[in-house]
Amino acid sequence: MTSSPSPIHVIGGGLAGSEAAWQIARAGVPVILHEMRRDGVRTDAHQTDGLAELVCSNSFRSDDWEYNAVGLLHAEMRALDSIIMSCGDAHQVPAGGALAVDREGFSEAVTAQLMAHPLITVVREEIAGIPPEDWDNVIVATGPLTSAALADAILKTTGEESLSFFDAIAPIIHADSIDFDIAWRQSRYDKAGPGGDAAAYVNCPMDKAQYDAFIDALLAGPKTEFKEWENVPYFDGCLPIEVMAERGRETLRHGPMKPVGLTNPRNPTVKAHAIVQLRQDNALGTLFNMVGFQTKLKYGAQTDIFRMIPGLESAQFARLGGLHRNTFLNSPKLLDRQLRLKALPRLRFAGQVTGVEGYVESAALGLLSGRLAAAQALGRDLTPPPPETAIGALVEHITGGHLEGSKFQPMNINYGLLPPLEAPRVDEDGKKIPPKDRGRAKKRLMSLRAIEALKAWRDAA
């Protein structure tokens, strides 16, 4: 009779750790999930002790698998029985072309499924250093808020200097405090999201004078001061709004406040100079977050400055913006393609700590690390998916896909990480594709190739 494998230890109950634990248990291997958050113990960003808590936006971004790389990643994860995607789908809220979720319902669902699985044991404790030597199969999925003790132990093992940056959290507003005599509901280009709603966003318009006054206030507003040791670079995909404003007065108009694809029904012939969008944050529709408005403004300044936005003059904030520190490894140097630490191969890493950026990317590496760890426990060989897939492309990036000699930085999934294809000149019916549409057609071909490669990898595993 074959003995059952020893438990795999997963450290961290965020998106990556939760996904890893699920995949391990689904493979028939026992898993112990260690989470430091418990009664009276939180991180600087978390508010609950729920597993897979979302600490920033409630959006998993685009759900369009044919023409958007993160939507492609969604599709791949669904094909691999992702708990994060299944719970996200079950708790989605209207968000145009994006997949956004009710953050509380989502976390509760993930927690309930993990706690109910007979092969998963959740232990509420902090692992304050390198795990014990008799833990021979470990996944470290401690995310951007890795405890200082564990981070220090890892750094001593690897000899690497810490790499870190700050993520900024966007404010959340009570829906009933929004002035709908000024604001209106519409998704950009009226595009419907996975929930079928083409009017998922609340739009607050600004004319040029209002925009200029807003920029002046952002630039002059008091900011959170960094200590000397906190002088680290931001990730460009999640810049605080005032940092974007510092890069040029027009930066926001071409970023989160761009007015394109939106028409004010009260004055359809006059285009707004800039538009602030709010996205539904919970299933009840009582909370909306300010899209792209991550900030390091001090709390008092946030309320004063954001109430300058037309439609938000009486805004009531359920949560103001803030900052939390992210720490990640120099993964191309430290990790092998099995996501193991070269200096200590019994440790695998998953999630944001590896240098991927975003909820879905973090969960995807949790999914893969769980499958790799389970295969090892069962004595099977398993390689990561090919780089033609979105998941494989992320692995390629963090294990050496970045430009040789350049400083490794976090990365969202994008088509630029996948092996290129020649843009097609004719469509499936043999009709000529206009040059302006070839880039879009190329993305679809890359997505079709990825789905086929992912399914072949899954079926052969």
Side-chain angles (χ1 to χ4, degrees):
M1 183 168 130
T2 305
S3 60
S4 60
S6 300
I8 296 172
H9 294 264
V10 177
I11 304 174
L15 292 169
S18 296
E19 186 68 71
W22 179 254
Q23 296 292 328
I24 293 166
R26 293 284 288 175
V29 178
V31 56
I32 301 175
L33 178 59
H34 305 263
E35 171 52 53
M36 66 177 288
R37 287 176 292 127
R38 54 196 184 276
D39 290 342
V41 179
R42 299 285 187 273
T43 69
D44 292 337
H46 289 88
Q47 298 182 5
T48 76
D49 61 3
L51 301 176
E53 179 185 345
L54 304 181
V55 299
C56 190
S57 167
N58 70 324
S59 175
F60 288 175
R61 312 196 318 277
S62 175
D63 201 50
D64 181 355
W65 73 267
E66 291 182 290
Y67 300 105
N68 189 286
V70 74
L72 171 61
L73 192 56
H74 290 179
E76 292 184 6
M77 293 175 66
R78 289 183 178 114
L80 296 174
D81 189 34
S82 163
I83 187 175
I84 295 303
M85 291 308 303
S86 65
C87 290
D89 289 337
H91 292 274
Q92 65 179 265
V93 296
L99 172 61
V101 305
D102 178 336
R103 64 178 73 235
E104 291 185 5
F106 168 77
S107 175
E108 289 169 359
V110 174
T111 302
Q113 288 195 41
L114 292 177
M115 296 287 288
H117 199 290
L119 290 178
I120 298 175
T121 302
V122 178
V123 179
R124 298 286 180 169
E125 64 178 0
E126 178 181 350
I127 306 302
I130 297 297
E133 290 186 7
D134 60 345
W135 294 10
D136 60 358
N137 197 343
V138 180
I139 295 174
V140 180
T142 46
L145 299 170
T146 299
S147 69
L150 179 56
D152 288 344
I154 293 169
L155 292 172
K156 287 177 182 176
T157 300
T158 62
E160 288 292 302
E161 294 181 358
S162 176
L163 294 175
S164 59
F165 61 95
F166 282 93
D167 249 354
I169 300 173
I172 294 178
I173 294 173
H174 289 282
D176 59 9
S177 69
I178 300 169
D179 184 354
F180 282 97
D181 288 334
I182 297 174
W184 76 94
R185 293 178 183 267
Q186 182 189 9
S187 297
R188 204 176 299 279
Y189 300 110
D190 298 308
K191 184 175 181 180
D197 189 349
Y201 289 80
V202 172
N203 301 283
C204 301
M206 284 185 177
D207 60 27
K208 187 176 187 305
Q210 291 166 332
Y211 177 79
D212 286 339
F214 180 72
I215 295 298
D216 289 340
L218 277 182
L219 295 174
K223 320 296 192 300
T224 301
E225 297 294 331
F226 295 145
K227 296 180 172 53
E228 183 177 349
W229 60 270
E230 294 177 322
N231 185 22
V232 293
Y234 295 107
F235 171 56
D236 277 347
C238 198
L239 286 174
I241 191 165
E242 59 279 357
V243 172
M244 285 188 270
E246 290 168 359
R247 295 186 173 186
R249 296 185 67 87
E250 293 293 290
T251 302
L252 290 172
R253 280 211 326 123
H254 297 283
M257 295 176 67
K258 61 180 179 286
V260 299
L262 298 165
T263 301
N264 188 340
R266 299 180 187 87
N267 198 357
T269 61
V270 177
K271 286 293 184 183
H273 188 71
I275 289 178
V276 175
Q277 286 199 305
L278 311 179
R279 179 177 56 231
Q280 186 173 328
D281 200 72
N282 65 343
L284 295 175
T286 57
L287 299 176
F288 279 75
N289 63 61
M290 301 179 69
V291 178
F293 267 59
Q294 305 87 1
T295 183
K296 64 188 182 81
L297 287 167
K298 291 188 175 179
Y299 282 175
Q302 288 185 45
T303 56
D304 292 342
I305 293 172
F306 295 151
R307 284 174 182 157
M308 295 174 64
I309 298 169
L312 302 184
E313 293 90 346
S314 300
Q316 296 298 312
F317 296 88
R319 184 186 72 187
L320 289 166
L323 294 174
H324 64 272
R325 183 179 178 181
N326 279 356
T327 301
F328 60 95
L329 298 171
N330 185 3
S331 294
K333 182 176 180 180
L334 301 180
L335 301 183
D336 66 16
R337 284 185 55 77
Q338 286 279 319
L339 304 179
R340 295 175 300 201
L341 192 64
K342 295 175 184 177
L344 199 60
R346 63 188 179 91
L347 301 187
R348 270 187 180 80
F349 283 79
Q352 230 169 308
V353 73
T354 66
V356 296
E357 177 64 20
Y359 291 150
V360 183
E361 290 88 339
S362 297
L365 284 201
L367 184 156
L368 180 59
S369 69
R371 287 187 168 229
L372 292 172
Q376 177 182 320
L378 295 169
R380 301 172 184 165
D381 292 328
L382 181 64
T383 58
E388 289 79 12
T389 66
I391 295 175
L394 285 173
V395 174
E396 183 68 19
H397 170 68
I398 67 170
T399 59
H402 74 305
L403 188 63
E404 189 68 28
S406 64
K407 185 177 180 181
F408 178 63
Q409 289 290 311
M411 181 70 74
N412 291 119
I413 185 62
N414 61 83
Y415 284 108
L417 296 182
L418 279 67
L421 279 176
E422 188 74 27
R425 296 180 177 273
V426 295
D427 63 18
E428 295 169 354
D429 297 324
K431 295 180 181 179
K432 187 176 180 180
I433 300 174
K436 65 182 181 65
D437 295 332
R438 288 174 188 165
R440 180 173 168 84
K442 176 181 174 180
K443 289 179 179 178
R444 185 170 184 273
L445 280 183
M446 295 176 75
S447 292
L448 289 170
R449 178 185 66 176
I451 293 297
E452 290 178 4
L454 188 283
K455 289 180 178 178
W457 176 83
R458 178 198 63 189
D459 295 344

